[in-house]
Amino acid sequence: MQRDLRTASRGPRPARPGDRDLSKPLPAALSWWVLVGFAAAVLGALVLEVLPWWVGAWYGAWSLLAFTLYGLDKAAAKRGASRVSEQTLHLVDVVGGWPGALVAQQVFRHKTRKRSFRRVFWAGVVLNLVVLVVVAVWFAGR
């Protein structure tokens, strides 16, 4: 009993490698290539007037917000302060902020190792791209 009290008074035990959902990050080059490919495709669609100008502005605005939120979350994590929820990050990512989030992940080295976060993030990217293709096809048919 004495040993249990001393252990409990020290606070929570540090996480062991098996306790967290960590994995090796994806190669940074993959993120940059996805981003370059996306930017080239959207720029091409804007130049060819397949997409209206506001689509580029939409991605730019949401990406700026995503980059800012990831930066704030990383700073809060370092300080041990209140964090930006993963749900908020994923919501901003899926509505169009994923390019900025991708840059922030690499710049801040944030949210690159947590496997469950990455899975939801990349699923959101795919969902966003599918919606973008549907929108592009709709605008092209007008």
Side-chain angles (χ1 to χ4, degrees), residues 42 45-46 49-58 132 135-136 138-140 142:
V42 169
L46 292 171
E49 297 181 356
V50 174
L51 291 173
W53 67 268
W54 58 263
V55 172
W58 175 274
L132 179 61
V135 167
W138 183 78
F139 274 111
R142 290 183 63 206

Side-chain angles (χ1 to χ4, degrees), residues 2 8 16 23 28 36 43 51 67 69 84 87 104-105 109:
Q2 183 77 3
R16 288 182 257 166
S23 63
V36 167
L43 184 60
L51 291 173
F67 186 87
L69 289 175
V84 177
Q87 285 180 333
Q105 288 173 8
R109 290 310 214 186

Side-chain angles (χ1 to χ4, degrees), residues 59-106:
Y59 277 101
W62 282 104
S63 290
L64 184 61
L65 177 61
F67 186 87
T68 302
L69 289 175
Y70 275 74
L72 291 171
D73 189 49
K74 178 66 175 195
K78 285 182 174 181
R79 289 190 323 268
S82 181
R83 307 274 304 273
V84 177
S85 75
E86 288 188 359
Q87 285 180 333
T88 300
L89 294 175
H90 288 312
L91 177 63
V92 170
D93 297 342
V94 81
V95 297
W98 69 266
L102 207 53
V103 172
Q105 288 173 8
Q106 298 307 312

Side-chain angles (χ1 to χ4, degrees), residues 25-33 35 67 70 74 99-113 118 121-122:
L26 296 174
L30 174 64
S31 296
W32 293 116
W33 279 113
L35 190 61
F67 186 87
Y70 275 74
K74 178 66 175 195
L102 207 53
V103 172
Q105 288 173 8
Q106 298 307 312
V107 169
F108 301 126
R109 290 310 214 186
H110 190 51
K111 299 292 187 183
T112 58
R113 293 191 61 208
R118 284 193 340 221
F121 173 79
W122 285 106

